Amino acid sequence: MTTKNIPNHVGLIMDGNGRWATAKGRERTYGHYMGYKRLKKTATHILNKGVKILSVFAFSTENFQRPKEEVDYLMDLFLTSFKKEIKYFVQNNVKVVFSGRKEPLSDTVYDSMKELEMETISCDGGILNICLNYGGQAEIVDASKLIAESFKNGKIKLEDITVESFYNYLYNELPAIDLLIRTSGELRLSNFMLYSISYSELYFTNTCFPDFDEKEFDEALESYQNRNITKGTIKQK
Ligand code: FPP
């Protein structure tokens, strides 16, 4: 496979953990645990391929409406894995950042996110952006509020607000997503990074996330590389 045209920023909607586990006669939570294990391997592979930024959808604001046991399990998984994996990300030179709102995350979960961010802040071998308690419309609203503040304080003028400068007000000031992948056969965007996916190439696979391995990503990459992509002038920050 050619090594040319590696997407700068890949988005990944990690869907199908629950169905994967149910099909094996296991609890849905087992699927989330195996999704976490899969994320660690696949994210490392994607960044080693030369992708600079990987944004993953770990937990949407709507996910708080799931049964309490499932939400509790996921929050516990986040807390323990963020603490446990600090060393792994530092060793692999991956900078971890989070996108999303604080409320209603508990202080313990939020602190573990901040700790992982701080411990990996100097890593420069790729960025893993974990969207947690995240909603794409909320991100645009939050960015608009920041812009309104800056305008009110006289820090910016109306003409400074452009399609390109808007990226600077998103949660992590990351550039546009080039390739968006969703696993498990669902054909929806589900409020994921709406501003950043305006010109993304889309790739859907029936594979559930716990099975989305290195080979599966390479197939998505090959599909991307075989497309005739016309870069829009507003695609990159
Ligand atoms: C959606 O699939 C997936 C989630 C709500 C959770 C995703 C979380 C992980 C992959 C774990 C990530 C771990 C860390 C530490 C970041 P679903 O379970 O709703 O699938 P279903 O549609 O089959 O029910």
Side-chain angles (χ1 to χ4, degrees), residues 14-20 28 32 35-36 39 57-58 63 66 70 74 77-78 81-82 130 209:
M14 308 182 289
D15 199 6
N17 293 342
R19 271 166 289 157
W20 180 88
R28 290 174 55 81
H32 294 315
Y36 147 60
L39 173 61
F57 209 172
N63 286 154
R66 291 190 176 201
E70 188 172 344
L74 276 167
L77 179 64
F78 295 145
S81 56
F82 296 156
I130 302 177
F209 186 67

Side-chain angles (χ1 to χ4, degrees), residues 22 31 54-55 88 97 100 102 130 136 172 183 202 209-210 224 234:
T22 306
L54 173 65
S55 290
Y88 177 84
V97 296
K102 157 78 176 76
I130 302 177
N172 280 295
T183 60
L202 306 179
F209 186 67
Y224 173 84
I234 56 171

